[in-house]
Amino acid sequence: MTILTIALKSLRGRLLASTLTAVSVALGVGLVIASVLMAQGIREAFIASATDYNLVVGAKGSPAQLVLGVVFRIDVATPNVRYTIYEALRDDPRVEVAVPVMVGDAYLGFRYVATNGTYFAALPWRRKSFSLAVGRFFRDDPLGSPQFEALLGSEAAARTGLRVGDRFYEGEEMADYPFTVIGILKQTRSADDRAIFMSLASFWEMNEVARGLAVKPLTAVLVRPKRMSDLPGLHREYNVAEETQAVLPSGVLLTIVNMMAVAQEALTMILATVGAIVLLYVFVAMYSATLERRREIATMRALGARRTTVLGIVLVESCTLVTLGGVGGILVGHVAAFVAAAMLATRSGLVTQPFMFDAVQPAILAVVILLGTLAGLLPAVLAYRMEVAENLAPLS
Amino acid sequence: MTAVSARSAVDLCDLKKSFPVADGGNLDVLDVEHLTLSAATCTVLRGRSGSGKTTLLNLIAGVALPSAGVIRVNDTDVAALSEARRDRFRARHVGYVFQSFNLLSAFSAIENVMLAMTFADVVPKRLQRQRAAELLDRLGLGARLAHKPQHLSRGEQQRVAIARAMANNPSIILADEPCASLDARTAGTVLNAFLAACRQDGRTLLLVSHDEAVLSDADQILDISEFNRAEAGKAAS
């Protein structure tokens, strides 16, 4: 037998207490890991969705609302602008790409997003790419002859159960305008996974208000200038205009990240408190176990175990407990992050990546093992200093 | 009684042990001018409760240090050794059977025996399990190797404790009330195991016991009041 096997058998000998200690460590570590994963995931989800376009042009109002409503579909959409704004931007020589976006109602909670084929185009500067899991993209049907074709994001398809060829509509008043599913996108890990895409013509025809308007409405126009030097000019021009505001998504993103940083500071303090409680629990558990095992430790010493040997056994025990708890905590954290990511996606449309392994997690594990082992140091010293003869007799 | 061999296994000289008490003074528990245990003999130590028998065993085993005097075990001054060397010496030369067995509940019978070998590091690791199994088998516990102490009878526990004490082939075995709380049949089995260790293997036995069966088989019977001056002093006062 070795110190490790002796320590493991001692832990097994008090299985319930050992399990509870390891579980408490796992829960504490899991909470930290889940929080880190979710914070990272939310930040990356924001960045991944927001950085393809340099400018979002929409109606006057809150810049954050415009970006959150159009790009992330979290907030309520801003009022509409006229389609002519899009045409002006499309034809502007300074603009490389302009994409019209109309955010509308929803089917079973999945937002209608009307746009044109450019939205899905593979462009060299795009971080996000769209590809079909099945079917095809919808056609940019001309105004007046809508085809009512719908392209579903991956999650929208999975959750609604719609398949290619299915027809659907939301509410009896829309029964005259059923959409036909013509394709389903592969997962993009963005708000687009939860969207139901359609052509602008189809949307306008379905929408009672838009149907009657001579100049059709849009929620916003996503803009990519040819040269970055043109961005300030475009930004200023569309902000000065009476009808529109132009928002730099990166600026809004920075605001969101800064807000998250404040929340994360508070969260860090809470997590640090949780960590301290868990370490205290490990300490109390190991200290109690050492006190309860005074006779066993004295017996080992009487059998010839050196002081350093019993010190090592207790340290290996606490190290083993926190290692098991720490590894379990990483698994618990990922499961919790997975559940939280699903809930976040359902409630806010923000799609995060719950399974990420990076340097932070081994670092957290290493810190937990180090601190947990240190928490076992005092009980180990207690075992080290224990007088043999005094503790050989039964405790009673 | 059988003849006592000449070579001494344990020599105590001017041995004193006292413990601090609440009023700031010291309580003298042991005061032994001289005591010798010859090698390969079975000595029974008896005396009233609290007379210092267990303390004497602890001192010989080196788990406690004397307040004064010399303890020679196999010609080694145990108290003069550093703590680490004393631990090693005890592991290799002294087998100790505690009154309440002190088996470790998390370990099976065979693992309890192997523990002693692990700490002593005398028996090669690859042979430890085999030797532990052989020792337990000799004591009639061949079918109980994997049983935890709490699943063994008191007699079986006692035999595991004896096997553990003999694991490192020590020259001296100390046993504190080995037959207390055992029924007559089990006590007989245990005693036979001890006597076999002495008669067949040539080990020196020091047993604390008041059991008549043990007394009748001993080479030497010592009453602690006869050589412990601290005990005599207490009786006089």
Side-chain angles (χ1 to χ4, degrees), chain A residues 18-291:
Chain A
S18 303
T19 305
L20 287 176
T21 308
V23 166
S24 72
V25 173
L27 290 176
V29 172
L31 187 62
V32 173
I33 294 287
S35 305
V36 168
L37 283 175
M38 286 310 293
Q40 277 179 338
I42 290 170
R43 193 181 301 116
E44 286 177 13
F46 272 120
I47 292 168
S49 297
T51 50
D52 273 357
Y53 294 94
N54 306 105
L55 204 62
V56 179
V57 177
K60 287 246 186 260
S62 157
Q65 186 188 359
L66 178 63
V67 173
L68 290 174
V70 172
V71 179
F72 303 109
R73 289 153 214 144
I74 293 172
D75 209 340
V76 178
T78 50
N80 296 327
V81 293
R82 287 172 297 141
Y83 184 73
T84 49
I85 300 292
Y86 160 67
E87 291 175 320
L89 280 162
R90 181 193 61 197
D91 298 336
D92 191 316
R94 295 169 297 176
V95 172
E96 181 183 345
V97 175
V99 183
V101 176
M102 180 81 218
V103 179
D105 294 332
Y107 173 74
L108 299 180
F110 295 94
R111 190 75 77 178
Y112 292 141
V113 178
T115 184
N116 63 18
T118 313
Y119 190 94
F120 307 100
L123 299 164
W125 41 264
R126 293 204 70 164
R127 291 162 61 115
K128 196 194 297 180
S129 65
F130 293 92
S131 54
L132 289 161
V134 62
R136 60 175 175 79
F137 288 96
F138 59 80
R139 296 190 184 91
D140 287 335
D141 36 11
L143 193 64
S145 56
Q147 297 301 306
F148 296 108
E149 294 176 337
L151 176 67
L152 272 56
S154 59
E155 195 181 341
R159 294 286 183 90
T160 59
L162 291 171
R163 296 177 181 180
V164 171
D166 288 351
R167 288 157 71 87
F168 69 95
Y169 55 88
E170 178 82 4
E172 286 306 314
E173 69 278 14
M174 294 293 150
D176 294 337
Y177 306 97
F179 276 81
T180 304
V181 179
I182 47 88
I184 295 170
L185 290 168
K186 284 185 180 171
Q187 192 180 45
T188 62
R189 296 214 164 275
S190 71
D192 290 337
D193 291 343
R194 298 178 46 80
I196 295 175
F197 294 99
M198 58 193 59
S199 70
L200 288 160
S202 298
F203 182 87
W204 288 328
E205 187 62 24
M206 170 187 69
N207 186 280
E208 190 180 1
V209 177
R211 204 183 309 140
L213 292 173
V215 180
K216 301 301 182 188
L218 284 179
T219 305
V221 183
L222 306 174
V223 180
R224 173 90 179 184
K226 282 178 181 162
R227 292 186 302 270
M228 293 311 281
S229 56
D230 289 327
L231 187 60
L234 282 164
H235 180 243
R236 187 169 52 250
E237 201 173 301
Y238 281 87
N239 263 330
V240 170
E242 197 173 309
E243 187 188 356
T244 58
Q245 68 167 330
V247 178
L248 303 169
S250 55
V252 173
L253 188 68
L254 192 63
T255 307
I256 293 169
V257 170
N258 285 342
M259 284 166 61
M260 280 178 63
V262 175
Q264 197 153 2
E265 276 178 28
L267 186 64
T268 303
M269 288 180 69
I270 294 168
L271 293 178
T273 309
V274 169
I277 292 169
V278 168
L279 285 176
L280 193 63
Y281 185 83
V282 172
F283 166 73
V284 170
M286 290 305 300
Y287 196 84
S288 313
T290 307
L291 282 179

Side-chain angles (χ1 to χ4, degrees), chain B residues 47-125:
Chain B
R48 67 174 184 84
S49 178
S51 58
K53 302 185 296 295
T54 301
T55 301
L56 181 63
L57 261 55
N58 285 343
L59 289 170
I60 294 171
V63 296
L65 287 175
S67 305
V70 176
I71 305 167
R72 287 191 181 280
V73 176
N74 292 342
D75 294 326
T76 299
D77 184 349
V78 177
L81 295 173
S82 68
E83 188 174 51
R85 283 178 177 274
R86 197 163 59 247
D87 290 338
R88 197 167 192 78
F89 180 85
R90 176 171 61 249
R92 294 183 171 193
H93 295 277
V94 181
Y96 199 156
V97 182
F98 306 98
Q99 185 175 355
S100 47
F101 320 142
N102 288 32
L103 298 179
L104 275 66
S105 58
F107 297 80
S108 66
I110 194 168
E111 287 164 350
N112 263 283
V113 178
M114 288 169 68
L115 262 182
M117 290 188 260
T118 300
F119 297 138
D121 202 20
V122 175
V123 180
K125 278 193 170 26

Side-chain angles (χ1 to χ4, degrees), chain B residues 2-26:
Chain B
T2 57
V4 175
S5 61
R7 191 172 64 82
S8 68
V10 177
D11 261 319
L12 310 180
C13 191
D14 295 325
L15 180 69
K16 289 184 179 173
K17 179 66 181 177
S18 56
F19 294 99
V21 288
D23 64 4
N26 284 315

Side-chain angles (χ1 to χ4, degrees), chain A residues 1-3 5-7 9-14 295-307 309 313 384 387-394, chain B residues 58 63-64 83-85 87-88 90-91 94 96 98 100-107 110-112 114-116 118-120 125 128 148 164-165 168:
Chain A
M1 283 194 283
T2 61
I3 285 182
T5 53
I6 293 169
K9 284 182 182 296
S10 294
L11 287 176
R12 272 185 59 187
R14 47 183 206 282
R295 190 163 159 241
E296 293 200 352
I297 290 167
T299 303
M300 286 192 207
R301 295 271 291 112
L303 291 176
R306 295 182 188 182
R307 287 188 191 274
T309 305
I313 289 169
Y384 178 89
E387 284 304 321
V388 182
E390 289 173 15
N391 293 291
L392 279 172
Chain B
N58 285 343
V63 296
E83 188 174 51
R85 283 178 177 274
D87 290 338
R88 197 167 192 78
R90 176 171 61 249
V94 181
Y96 199 156
F98 306 98
S100 47
F101 320 142
N102 288 32
L103 298 179
L104 275 66
S105 58
F107 297 80
I110 194 168
E111 287 164 350
N112 263 283
M114 288 169 68
L115 262 182
T118 300
F119 297 138
K125 278 193 170 26
Q128 287 180 359
K148 296 274 174 68
R164 186 176 66 182
N168 295 313

